[in-house]
Structure formats: C-alpha cells, structure tokens
Amino acid sequence: MKNFYLGLLLTVGSIATSSAQTNPEKPAEKSTELNEVTIVKTKKAIEQKADRTIFNFSDQPSLNTGSVLEGIKKLPGLIASDIAGMMYQGKQLDVFMDGRPLNISTTELNAFLEGMPANAIEKIEIITQPGAEFPATSGGAILNIITNKNAKIYLSATYTNSTSFTNYDSFRMRVNNSLLLSAKNKYFGWQLNVGQNYRESATWTSLDKQENGMNSLLSSTNTDRTGRNNFIKSALTFDIGKDRLLLNYDITQNNNNSTTLGTGPGFVNNDASTSVGLRQDAVVTYQKKFTNSAKKLEFKFNYNNNTNDFELSPVSNSTVTLANTSNQNFYNFKFDYSQPLKFSDEGKLSFGSLYEELLFEAASRGTVNLDYKRRTAASYVEVQTKFDKFNFILGGRAEDYNITGTTDVATLSPFKQFRFFPNASAQYNFSNSVNFNMNYNKKITLPSTSALNPNNTNYQNPNVDYSGNPNLQPTIFNNYEVKLSAFDYAFISYNISSAKNQVINRVSLDNNVVVNTNENIPAVKIHNFSAGMPIPYMLFTKGLEETLKMNVNPDTMNFLYVYGGYQYHQIPNVNTNGFWMINLMSQIVLPSKIKFVANYNYIFPKGNYFYFIATEPIRNSLDFTFSKKFLKDQLTLSIYADDVLNTNKNGFNSFGTPLLIASKQDTRKFGFSLNYKIPTKNKLAKENSNLLNNEKKEEGGLLNQ
C-alpha cells in the first residue's frame, strides 16, 4: 500500500513537473534568448506557493466566461455569499486589485466584482500568509485580482466577448466586451484596457418565521436587476536612465437599477431602486535600480475616490423612500527597500514605511449622518534566509491608528492605538518540488465603511430593514497554518484563525421586522482542513508503470483535480457544527482538440457559518465548458453552461431566531465566449518580453509594480 501511494505521488510529480496544467494556450509564457538557448516558463492552472495559491484565469474558459464574481465562486476552497461573506479556507478575505486594496466590501464589493468581466483579468492569487510588507489590516488573507498582461515590443491587441442568457420566468441577457491594447518603444511603454458589462438578472427571496410548528411568511420578494458597468484601465511607463517611472489611472462607472415586488402580511410593495457609482484610482510609482538587481527601492503614491448614490421609490410614484449617498477619499504613500544578505543563500532584508488617510462621508436626503476619518502610519522589517534545505522568514510590522468620527446624533468611540504585528515562517524542502511549511502571523481588520454606514443601500419594506453599525471595533487575528505541498498542485493543509471582535453580518427579528446589521463577536476560532490533488485518468487506463513513462503534453492531458475541505466555526456559548466542501474539476480532450471541462462545487448543509446555519448547500453547481482554438490559435471559442442542474440556491437559519432565509438566483445560464488575438505582421511578434518585469513579491505585470 505504501508503494502505491508513493507511486501515485511520483506520477503526479512527473506530470506536474513536465506539463501538468489545464492551460489551453501554448505553454510558453516568457522566453529569453541567451546564446541561442530559449528558457521557457510555463503557465499553470493552479499553482501552490509557500504563502499563496495562484489561479490562472486568462487561459481557462471554465473561469473567465462570466463575471469576476462568478469565476471566484468556482474556486476550490472559497466561499462567496451575499449573506455569508467571502472566505478562503477559513480566512476572511481582504480584496486587492493589481496589488492595491479596493477599500470596499460586502454589498458594494459584490456589485463591483459582478460588474467586471472575468475575461479582463489575468489571474487571481490568494495570499494565505501575507508577510510584514503587506498591510496588517489585510486580516486573514488577501485576494489579489491581477488584471494586466505583459506588454510586447510591438502593438498587441486582444478582443474578448462573452454572451449568455437565462430563461426562468423571462428571457434575460448578459453581455460583456473588452479590448486590451499594449505596446512599447525605446521611449516609453503603454497599456489600455477598456470594457463594458451589461447584465440582466433575477433573485427570489423569502423570509419565514418557523415557530411552534407553524410557518408564517414575513416577506417575499421578486427582484429584476439590470446592471451596466464600464471601465478603463491605463498605464504608462518611462525609463529614466536605469530607473523607472510608472503612471496608472483606472476608472470604473456603474449604473444599476432594479424593480422589486414585495409581499407580506398587510402589504404589497412594488419598488424601483437606482444605484450609481464612480470609482477612480491613480498611482505614481518610482523604482530606483541598482547594479545588483536583487537590491530594490520603490516609492508609490496612490489616490482613490469612490462615490455612490442610492435611491428607492415606489414604481410610478415620485415619492422617494430612500435617498442615500456616500463619498470616500483615500490617500496612500509608501516606500519599500530590499537588499540581499551575504551570509545566507537567497536571503534578503526588506523594510519600508506607509502613511495613509481615509475620509468617508455618508448622507441621507442631503443630511450628513456619518463623518469618518482613519489615519494609519506603519513601518515594517522582514528578513528572509535560506540554509541548505531550510527557508526562514521573520518579520514585524508596527502600525499606529487614529480613527475618529461623528454621526448626526453622537460621536463615535475613537480608536487610537499603536500595535505590533509579528510574522514567522519556516519551510523544509524535501526536494525542489516537495516542501513542508509552517506559518504564523498576527493581523487586524478595520471595519469597512460600508459596514459602518448607518444608511441603507438595499431594498427594504415594512418587514425588512438594513442598517450599518458606526460603532464597530477592529478585529484582531492570530493565524496559524501547516502545509505540505508537492509539485505545485498537490497539497494538504490545516490552519486556525483565532479572532477577537470579529465583525459579522447579523440578522435578527424584532416584532416581525427582519433587521440586517453588523456586529462584533467577542471571540471566534475558525478551524480549516483542506487537501487537493490532480489525478491523471491514464493512471486507470494504462497503469502506474506506463503512466510514469509518459511525457504528457498538457493540451492533450485528461485528468481530475480533487479538492476537499472541512471548516468549523468555534464560537463561545454557541453549539456549532462544521461543514464539508468538495470541488471536482475534470478535463477531457475530445476529438478535433475540443477541450471539455466539467466543474462541480458542493458545500454540505447543516454547518454553522458564524451565526447562520445552512439549510441548503452554500454552493451546489455543476458547470460545463467546451472550448476549441481556430485560426492558428489566434481565436478561442468557448460554449458553456453553468448550473446545468439548476440546484444552486441558498437557505439559512439565523441563530437564536425562528427565521428562515431562502433565496434563489437565475444561476442556470448558457452562453458562448470569444477571445481573438488580433494578428500582427511585425517581425518582432515572436518576442514575448515582459515590459515591466515585476520584481516585487506581488505577482503581476504592467499595472502591478
């Protein structure tokens, strides 16, 4: 039996090291010619690293045919729900884009991710062990959405389109388009990514009170939504001698409206809502270069503005029920420096500082009822060393907070503290492909402005009320993890996230009125066990001995990727149950080089997600994708069907209440996607140089430096 498992691991290793990935592109990602020798780095569908997991989106039609939010929900080990929030392997996620925090969460975050087409992004990395160089406010883990691609020494153009439809009570369309242009010359490089997203969707929700064997309806809603999203992402880079100047500017505009028919005891409402948002983000980066390429110095300034307007009113009535607005300004300046250590193999010393301010103002009918200011000053130092088969990381980050604010009736409890956040990591390398890693870090999460906002930016009726909580306190995390990884794909891990003052969504019942708000839990521990491994089908058809002899091309490889996890939320004085989750992703290459990918996600019910008990699987979806390349691989056509069994729905009991929350969205959809790399006759087209070679710890290219 031992020999069988050893052989299985060797099989996975031999395939992984030679070619094990689901990437439908040609495997060459970067080529550098050195005396007639070409060094090739291959893309991988899923890549396990010591501190992060990387998912390649750009080459996987099973992930990039819908919105970013739809693609994220398919990732193994990730939970994303409107009511339960976003978590990866038991850790709350702080969402970044191109290495910069979005500074939005909950409802605004879901709307933002739903409005961005997944085919506009390159990859997603989930940093499960953020070190001292990352803000301590990253909490448990970071989800970094990387939208950019490498630039080339000629004009490169790629057009993508995805069109799908649903047909429940009526026919609804979803269409997105994007165009990516990039080029460089001897003076500067540039990149422009423009796109739009139009989506029609529906949600059916019911709130029932189950008490003394009786079931009574409190609220039933039928919502039709139309979302419109437009974005522009631009970048310029200038070489100043050996140094480099980078300029980034992004703008995202959304205009969403919905009509909701709500019924309940004693009322029938037909309401219309409009939500308009504008997000602008500008970054200036200066990179100082040294003779020793391992020595780096970088200065970065970031300004971000985010405005939102929300109105709710009865259909065919000029009377406005809700009129809420918000305006957020964010300023950030930081520098980072690193240099190699002479006494250690591949060792380096890093340090840096940060200063930022966030100003948030919320108003209802023109009256300001929340004026919030947050100032953070931070410094960090981190040492990485390598001795023989051991790698060590030891760091610390000091952050000073000054959080103040007022509402229209009171002054917020100020949060003025200086805190130190240590992190440590040790890794033993059994070989170049197999390692065992242990991590610890202490982090903090500051309440998001959307959770603090006392104004409702959601639908409400006489039995449904939404409100923020301006008195939320920050959450302190202690995160522990052990992980065994093999060949970038196979892994097994266990982690504990221990939190004080965890911010959670809480739904309560007050005289038949369902109240949605946020509050702090004094203490919570989240235990998470997970494992993943690719299994080649040839292992069953050809046997272990023949499989080990094969040199497999990834474009012709048939395999099954299996992920399993168990999560348990331990809350004092609450009897909680854990829950299992599974993800199965199968790739089969059919005749005519048609690639078929089936993806199945299932999270078992009856478990506790903080104060919610799942009565239905949090996710239960079977998705199919067929893809094929044409025109010398310039054109990729994909046909897909999501939630083909129409089983994806949500159901939760709210702890301590007789409340049952049930919802269903029009998740079963069918569609097609096109990705066309516009050909060029430029003789340099075979070159695939990285215009702005990313030399920081974050993964990325032109827009993430």
Side-chain angles (χ1 to χ4, degrees):
M1 183 61 70
K2 286 184 178 179
N3 291 335
F4 173 77
Y5 285 112
L6 179 61
L8 180 61
L9 189 60
L10 290 173
T11 301
V12 175
S14 65
I15 296 172
T17 52
S18 63
S19 57
Q21 58 258 348
T22 60
N23 161 31
E25 293 287 343
K26 292 181 178 179
E29 179 186 12
K30 300 178 184 177
S31 299
T32 304
E33 292 189 1
L34 297 174
N35 298 326
E36 305 298 331
V37 177
T38 300
I39 300 173
V40 177
K41 179 181 177 182
T42 59
K43 290 183 179 180
K44 301 174 181 178
I46 303 174
E47 187 175 1
Q48 296 288 336
K49 291 191 175 183
D51 66 338
R52 71 192 67 193
T53 302
I54 302 171
F55 298 93
N56 174 19
F57 263 57
S58 63
D59 300 312
Q60 295 194 79
S62 60
L63 296 179
N64 66 24
T65 50
S67 69
V68 173
L69 184 62
E70 289 170 332
I72 286 174
K73 287 182 176 180
K74 296 179 183 180
L75 300 182
L78 191 142
I79 300 173
S81 169
D82 291 339
I83 209 167
M86 192 176 292
M87 179 177 285
Y88 180 75
Q89 294 184 0
K91 297 178 180 180
Q92 293 290 135
L93 286 171
D94 190 18
V95 182
F96 284 43
M97 180 166 286
D98 294 322
R100 305 187 296 274
L102 284 176
N103 291 305
I104 55 177
S105 65
T106 58
T107 304
E108 292 178 14
L109 175 62
N110 286 347
F112 179 82
L113 298 179
E114 188 180 29
M116 174 167 284
N119 53 28
I121 69 174
E122 175 76 3
K123 57 188 171 182
I124 284 180
E125 57 179 14
I126 301 180
I127 305 167
T128 53
Q129 294 294 335
E133 68 178 287
F134 295 98
T137 50
S138 56
I142 293 172
L143 187 148
N144 187 22
I145 302 168
I146 298 173
T147 63
N148 51 295
K149 299 175 175 63
N150 296 334
K152 302 174 177 62
I153 312 178
Y154 59 92
L155 179 63
S156 171
T158 303
Y159 167 74
T160 58
N161 167 275
S162 180
T163 302
S164 64
F165 68 89
T166 65
N167 192 10
Y168 283 73
D169 58 323
S170 63
F171 184 85
R172 297 179 176 89
M173 291 284 293
R174 301 176 189 180
V175 181
N176 65 64
N177 296 277
S178 66
L179 178 65
L180 175 68
L181 301 171
S182 63
K184 66 172 295 188
N185 53 46
K186 62 181 180 180
Y187 302 107
F188 64 90
W190 61 272
Q191 180 172 297
L192 181 67
N193 191 2
V194 297
Q196 61 81 221
N197 179 288
Y198 174 83
R199 60 199 183 279
E200 300 169 342
S201 61
T203 303
W204 300 271
T205 303
S206 64
L207 304 173
D208 294 271
K209 183 170 70 172
Q210 299 177 330
E211 204 168 33
N212 301 322
M214 302 291 291
N215 187 76
S216 57
L217 178 69
L218 299 178
S219 172
S220 176
T221 58
N222 183 345
T223 303
D224 252 315
R225 292 190 175 93
T226 301
R228 303 170 186 85
N229 180 278
N230 302 285
F231 69 90
I232 299 173
K233 298 180 69 66
S234 61
L236 284 171
T237 178
F238 301 89
D239 290 327
I240 305 173
K242 293 183 178 180
D243 300 341
R244 184 174 294 162
L245 175 67
L246 301 97
L247 306 175
N248 301 104
Y249 177 71
D250 304 342
I251 182 169
T252 304
Q253 184 269 340
N254 65 274
N255 184 355
N256 306 320
N257 56 62
S258 65
T259 57
T260 302
L261 177 63
T263 60
F267 72 88
V268 176
N269 286 0
N270 192 7
D271 295 316
S273 67
T274 302
S275 178
V276 178
L278 181 66
R279 184 178 187 274
Q280 301 181 76
D281 192 79
V283 185
V284 179
T285 306
Y286 187 83
Q287 296 175 337
K288 175 68 177 176
K289 302 296 182 180
F290 299 91
T291 304
N292 185 345
S293 61
K295 189 176 181 180
K296 307 177 187 73
L297 175 63
E298 179 181 276
F299 301 90
K300 181 180 290 187
F301 175 76
N302 180 204
Y303 168 71
N304 178 280
N305 176 259
N306 192 12
T307 61
N308 285 280
D309 299 306
F310 176 80
E311 283 192 0
L312 178 71
S313 61
V315 174
S316 302
N317 193 324
S318 59
T319 303
V320 177
T321 307
L322 294 174
N324 298 323
T325 62
S326 66
N327 183 31
Q328 176 179 289
N329 287 290
F330 175 76
Y331 307 86
N332 173 288
F333 175 78
K334 67 173 186 174
F335 83 88
D336 298 279
Y337 174 81
S338 65
Q339 68 173 37
L341 297 174
K342 295 181 180 180
F343 62 84
S344 169
D345 297 332
E346 301 178 19
K348 71 172 183 176
L349 170 68
S350 304
F351 62 86
S353 290
L354 169 148
Y355 180 86
E356 67 180 29
E357 284 193 3
L358 186 147
L359 308 174
F360 180 79
E361 184 179 271
S364 178
R365 297 181 184 273
T367 301
V368 175
N369 54 5
L370 176 62
D371 188 357
Y372 173 87
K373 181 178 180 179
R374 185 182 82 207
R375 176 196 55 77
T376 305
S379 294
Y380 76 90
V381 61
E382 187 174 78
V383 177
Q384 299 183 32
T385 62
K386 181 179 180 181
F387 300 101
D388 194 19
K389 294 185 176 182
F390 289 93
N391 295 73
F392 299 99
I393 298 176
L394 183 64
R397 188 178 183 95
E399 297 202 348
D400 183 74
Y401 308 103
N402 186 348
I403 301 175
T404 58
T406 59
T407 68
D408 54 342
V409 295
T411 300
L412 300 184
S413 299
F415 183 79
K416 299 180 180 181
Q417 290 191 17
F418 175 85
R419 288 184 175 272
F420 180 71
F421 301 92
N423 68 282
S425 176
Q427 178 173 299
Y428 179 76
N429 304 299
F430 295 97
S431 68
N432 290 335
S433 303
V434 181
N435 57 72
F436 177 73
N437 187 275
M438 296 184 294
N439 286 284
Y440 164 76
N441 64 59
K442 185 174 184 178
K443 297 292 182 180
I444 187 173
T445 293
L446 305 177
S448 68
T449 51
S450 58
L452 294 165
N453 189 351
N455 299 320
N456 178 18
T457 56
N458 295 273
Y459 165 81
Q460 71 176 36
N461 62 41
N463 281 357
V464 177
D465 178 70
Y466 288 84
S467 62
N469 182 356
N471 293 304
L472 291 172
Q473 294 297 303
T475 305
I476 304 296
F477 294 92
N478 284 284
N479 303 307
Y480 310 84
E481 182 179 58
V482 292
K483 182 177 181 180
L484 176 65
S485 302
F487 312 110
D488 294 332
Y489 282 85
F491 76 96
I492 182 170
S493 70
Y494 173 72
N495 66 68
I496 299 176
S497 183
S498 178
K500 293 182 179 180
N501 289 327
Q502 170 76 59
V503 176
I504 56 97
N505 176 240
R506 190 72 187 267
V507 177
S508 59
L509 199 58
D510 183 13
N511 294 325
N512 287 341
V513 176
V514 180
V515 179
N516 296 264
T517 188
N518 297 279
E519 64 179 49
N520 291 107
I521 302 177
V524 62
K525 287 184 180 179
I526 301 174
H527 304 257
N528 189 87
F529 167 81
S530 56
M533 174 177 285
I535 302 173
Y537 287 132
M538 70 176 67
L539 187 66
F540 305 103
T541 58
K542 297 182 178 294
L544 177 61
E545 184 176 352
E546 289 299 317
T547 301
L548 290 172
K549 296 178 182 178
M550 298 293 290
N551 183 16
V552 183
N553 184 327
D555 283 337
T556 61
M557 178 180 175
N558 301 325
F559 70 95
L560 174 70
Y561 186 82
V562 180
Y563 172 89
Y566 178 79
Q567 195 171 127
Y568 173 60
H569 293 213
Q570 183 181 354
I571 303 174
N573 304 318
V574 178
N575 186 19
T576 57
N577 296 313
F579 56 88
W580 287 92
M581 62 188 79
I582 60 171
N583 173 269
L584 304 175
M585 192 273 282
S586 173
Q587 173 179 287
I588 299 176
V589 180
L590 302 173
S592 300
K593 295 183 179 180
I594 298 173
K595 187 171 294 183
F596 169 61
V597 174
N599 199 313
Y600 180 64
N601 277 280
Y602 187 86
I603 301 177
F604 288 79
K606 308 303 181 184
N608 286 74
Y609 190 98
F610 296 116
Y611 282 114
F612 296 103
I613 303 97
T615 59
E616 300 282 350
I618 299 177
R619 181 165 177 83
N620 179 14
S621 181
L622 176 63
D623 309 323
F624 294 149
T625 304
F626 295 86
S627 61
K628 179 175 171 56
K629 292 181 178 296
F630 301 90
L631 305 177
K632 298 181 180 180
D633 294 347
Q634 295 288 337
L635 173 67
T636 301
L637 170 64
S638 302
I639 300 174
Y640 57 92
D642 286 351
D643 192 20
V644 293
L645 301 179
N646 198 28
T647 51
N648 196 8
K649 56 184 177 180
N650 287 324
F652 294 96
N653 281 127
S654 181
F655 177 80
T657 75
L659 191 63
L660 174 64
I661 308 165
S663 66
K664 177 74 179 84
Q665 296 181 332
D666 56 341
T667 50
R668 182 169 60 184
K669 65 175 182 175
F670 304 89
F672 67 89
S673 177
L674 296 171
N675 183 289
Y676 183 53
K677 297 179 180 178
I678 301 172
T680 176
K681 295 182 179 180
N682 192 300
K683 63 181 181 180
L684 297 175
K686 293 183 179 180
E687 298 187 24
N688 191 18
S689 61
N690 187 349
L691 172 60
L692 297 177
N693 187 26
N694 182 17
E695 296 175 342
K696 286 179 60 57
K697 193 172 182 179
E698 297 94 333
E699 298 285 338
L702 181 62
L703 300 182
N704 176 29
Q705 297 296 320

